[in-house]
Amino acid sequence: MTEAPAKIAIRGLQKSFGRKHVLRGLDLDVPAGSSVVVIGGSGTGKSVLLKCILGILQADQGSIRVDGSEVVGASGRDLEGIRHKFGMLFQGGALFDSLPVWENVTFGVRARQRIGRDEARRIAVENLGKVGLAADVADLMPAELSGGMQKRVGLARAVALEPEILFFDEPTTGLDPIMADVINDLIRSLTRAMGATALSITHDMASVRKIADYVAMLYEGRVIWYGRVEDLDRSGNDFVDQFIHGRAEGPITVGTR
Amino acid sequence: MNPLRRIGAGLLDFCQQIGSIATFALVSIGRGLAGPWYPAQILRQMIDIGYYSLPVVGLTAIFTGMVLALQSYTGFARFEAESAVATIVVVSLTRELGPVLAGLMVAGRVGAAMAAELGTMRVTEQIDALTTLSTDPHRYLIFPRLLGGTLMLPLLVLVADIIGVFGGFVVGTSKLGFSPYTYIDQTLQYLETQDVVVGLVKAAVFGFIVTLMGCWNGYQSRGGAQGVGAATTRAVVTASIMILVFDYILTEIFFSR
Ligand SMILES: Nc1ncnc2c1ncn2[C@@H]1O[C@H](COP(=O)(O)OP(=O)(O)OP(=O)(O)O)[C@@H](O)[C@H]1O
Ligand SMILES: [Mg+2]
């Protein structure tokens, strides 16, 4: 599909929960060093897709290769190795609410190597700085933060590991437009600075245009359109047109299931 | 629908549940023992389960001891066997009431809290986040709780036994006309090591059951606040029933020993 070698190559991915077929043979390539954004309606399995790639959910069928290593059916130890390449910002932030911000940010770093508290704090403050948060946030508890700040702390936690691949699950949902733009800028600059490959999910078209190199549209468990973000407006695909213009009428029907 | 079929389906479901609970327990113990260990987590759980349950368990024990003394006196006075009161109090407490009542109280206090905490962590994706931060939730969350419960409940029960006997002693000496010396003498005279050991073994099993049900129900919870509430209820109810069932099984195993 693209020139750069695929960092993540997904073929024929299927995942069901009981009788509900969420992913039904999904193909997707994420070229190394680029930013791919997945769009699609609520409940079409975008979060499930990310969790399958991370091996948090076990795919039913198909293949997911990360740098050539197969995730589907991998053993616990192999999975741990593969997961070292990833950092993820969860949809709701998913900060550990029993730990202060600085311990949240350095949690992954401390799980991978033994470092002292002072060193950990220094790393936390440094990464908080990258997302535009002051050092005094480090000692707050997650419950004391606003939604936007929680997203930023989640972002700091994801980038603290300096991963090769970053996942962002709806990074701007629930934020005011200005904060959303700040987060978009952060995502763009952080991934650029680290040379990371990014896979994001969003409903927010402004965000898509800002952070995407490539866009994949998910519908009924498959990728029905994939292309460069510049081609989004002339995709010639009715589903994509309906989605990006947010129209109620069109080939996508809501509420029939 | 065919009633037989419904019973069959229910039975299959039940067996499947048992299987998945057993797998869950084995995986957690296996991975937990293999390390890395989280001493801070283990310590936190031990304090939470052992120390903070002391008031509840102590209060239960002292009133149980007092009631036992009164009731057994009423009964034994009918055939002039009042001198058996001290023995009855200590044997019923150590073999039976200490572990069962402590188990039930801890199920209400600790099991419920664990289910709520882990359930919240599950629905807010904190458990998934742990996985992406190179930390195995079984090692970090489940194993410390199972270990804490299994180690601390016997200690709690030991304390409860002593407090309960003291409750019996207070009633015996102040209301039933025992002299302090005879009461203590009769308490110790017929008490065998076996009685205490059986009680402590029961306590360890109950501690495991309570924490396992708390962890499992919390870990499996789905669907927001309501799901967490349901998981909490289920944790307490299943743990309480299992305590009573296993109490019988263990009593039968140790019968006449
Ligand atoms: N662990 C699970 N068990 C059962 N069903 C699940 C599970 N996770 C997701 N689902 C189902 O899979 C479907 C897709 O869920 P998913 O969270 O991927 O949606 P999404 O595309 O991320 O939607 P949104 O944009 O609203 O976040 C949903 O219908 C959901 O009910
Ligand atoms: Mg989602």
Side-chain angles (χ1 to χ4, degrees):
Chain A
M1 278 197 242
T2 36
E3 313 81 36
K7 189 83 178 167
I8 306 173
I10 305 170
R11 292 288 173 273
L13 183 65
Q14 298 195 19
K15 176 73 191 171
S16 311
F17 296 101
R19 249 181 260 158
K20 184 184 242 161
H21 303 297
V22 179
L23 303 178
R24 311 177 193 178
L26 179 142
D27 299 324
L28 180 67
D29 276 331
V30 181
S34 62
S35 167
V36 173
V37 172
V38 176
I39 56 175
S42 261
T44 47
K46 304 182 298 299
S47 299
V48 169
L49 168 65
L50 292 193
K51 285 178 189 169
C52 285
I53 302 175
L54 289 166
I56 293 173
L57 287 173
Q58 185 78 44
D60 298 334
Q61 247 178 56
S63 148
I64 301 170
R65 287 177 177 275
V66 178
D67 281 333
S69 322
E70 181 61 57
V71 174
V72 181
S75 72
R77 181 155 309 160
D78 292 342
L79 267 182
E80 256 169 59
I82 296 172
R83 284 193 194 120
H84 271 228
K85 299 182 180 180
F86 292 98
M88 168 139 180
L89 170 62
F90 283 85
Q91 194 162 347
L95 300 179
F96 305 125
D97 38 33
S98 58
L99 299 176
V101 165
W102 73 272
E103 285 194 48
N104 263 286
V105 173
T106 51
F107 195 93
V109 182
R110 296 217 281 174
R112 288 182 196 175
Q113 65 200 55
R114 290 200 75 82
I115 49 170
R117 283 176 75 87
D118 291 340
E119 173 70 359
R121 275 196 75 97
R122 194 192 60 71
I123 295 177
V125 169
E126 181 191 320
N127 282 285
L128 287 171
K130 284 188 199 164
V131 298
L133 288 174
D136 54 352
V137 175
D139 288 309
L140 299 178
M141 297 304 276
E144 298 172 276
L145 306 177
S146 74
M149 285 164 97
Q150 289 189 5
K151 280 261 160 77
R152 289 210 230 182
V153 173
L155 202 56
R157 184 173 72 178
V159 300
L161 290 163
E162 300 182 351
E164 296 169 33
I165 306 168
L166 278 160
F167 284 177
F168 304 105
D169 194 347
E170 304 197 9
T172 56
T173 314
L175 302 181
D176 70 70
I178 298 170
M179 180 58 79
D181 203 48
V182 170
I183 298 274
N184 287 334
D185 282 339
L186 278 173
I187 290 176
R188 201 70 252 205
S189 58
L190 289 173
T191 47
R192 284 264 167 78
M194 301 193 313
T197 306
L199 180 59
S200 321
I201 290 174
T202 185
H203 301 292
D204 172 1
M205 291 318 293
S207 182
V208 174
R209 291 177 203 283
K210 194 125 195 186
I211 65 180
D213 295 323
Y214 300 95
V215 179
M217 164 101 190
L218 200 62
Y219 182 68
E220 296 200 323
R222 292 190 191 86
V223 173
I224 55 160
W225 187 81
Y226 179 92
R228 306 193 72 91
V229 66
E230 300 87 47
D231 299 332
L232 193 59
D233 292 310
R234 39 195 159 84
S235 64
N237 185 309
D238 293 341
F239 294 89
V240 174
D241 281 340
Q242 186 191 348
F243 191 85
I244 61 178
H245 295 117
R247 297 194 201 102
E249 303 90 43
I252 304 174
T253 45
V254 182
T256 50
R257 262 172 297 163
Chain B
M1 200 166 134
N2 186 341
L4 272 180
R5 208 164 143 181
R6 198 173 287 184
I7 294 172
L11 194 67
L12 280 181
D13 207 45
F14 179 72
C15 293
Q16 199 179 6
Q17 289 266 320
I18 303 241
S20 33
I21 295 176
T23 317
F24 178 82
L26 289 177
V27 167
S28 300
I29 295 170
R31 292 200 204 159
L33 288 175
W37 289 59
Y38 296 98
Q41 294 298 314
I42 296 174
L43 194 68
R44 197 195 119 196
Q45 293 306 325
M46 288 174 72
I47 292 173
D48 208 36
I49 300 166
Y51 183 70
Y52 288 109
S53 302
L54 268 177
V56 182
V57 171
L59 271 176
T60 318
I62 196 159
F63 283 105
T64 310
M66 289 162 71
V67 166
L68 266 178
L70 276 185
Q71 293 283 35
S72 53
Y73 187 87
T74 321
F76 285 116
R78 293 181 191 161
F79 35 93
E80 277 137 45
E82 297 92 332
S83 61
V85 166
T87 312
I88 288 298
V89 168
V90 72
V91 171
S92 352
L93 271 173
T94 51
R95 290 189 76 109
E96 182 65 39
L97 291 170
V100 170
L101 291 177
L104 293 177
M105 297 317 279
V106 171
R109 209 192 79 81
V110 176
M114 279 182 185
E117 185 181 355
L118 293 181
T120 307
M121 290 187 78
R122 163 63 73 198
V123 300
T124 57
E125 297 183 307
Q126 291 179 50
I127 294 184
D128 294 336
L130 272 180
T131 314
T132 66
L133 296 169
S134 302
T135 304
D136 181 347
H138 286 279
R139 279 187 200 126
Y140 182 78
L141 295 174
I142 311 298
F143 181 68
R145 286 172 167 76
L146 296 180
L147 189 67
T150 315
L151 292 181
M152 293 319 280
L153 211 67
L155 286 183
L156 266 178
V157 165
L158 207 57
V159 176
D161 288 348
I162 294 166
I163 295 178
V165 166
F166 175 72
F169 173 82
V170 169
V171 170
T173 51
S174 66
K175 286 193 75 93
L176 307 176
F178 286 89
S179 83
Y181 175 77
T182 25
Y183 192 92
I184 292 175
D185 187 48
Q186 282 169 359
T187 297
L188 296 177
Q189 194 179 358
Y190 295 106
L191 181 69
E192 289 172 20
T193 327
Q194 278 296 342
D195 298 330
V196 180
V197 172
V198 167
L200 296 187
V201 170
K202 280 185 175 177
V205 173
F206 298 166
F208 182 74
I209 289 176
V210 166
T211 45
L212 179 62
M213 292 334 278
C215 290
W216 192 73
N217 284 295
Y219 203 79
Q220 301 294 323
S221 48
R222 296 262 173 273
Q226 200 182 9
V228 175
T232 310
T233 311
R234 231 178 305 121
V236 177
V237 173
T238 47
S240 306
I241 292 174
M242 279 175 74
I243 284 175
L244 298 176
V245 172
F246 274 82
D247 183 45
Y248 180 78
I249 296 174
L250 290 170
T251 308
E252 174 142 349
I253 292 174
F254 290 116
F255 186 62
S256 81
R257 269 196 231 168

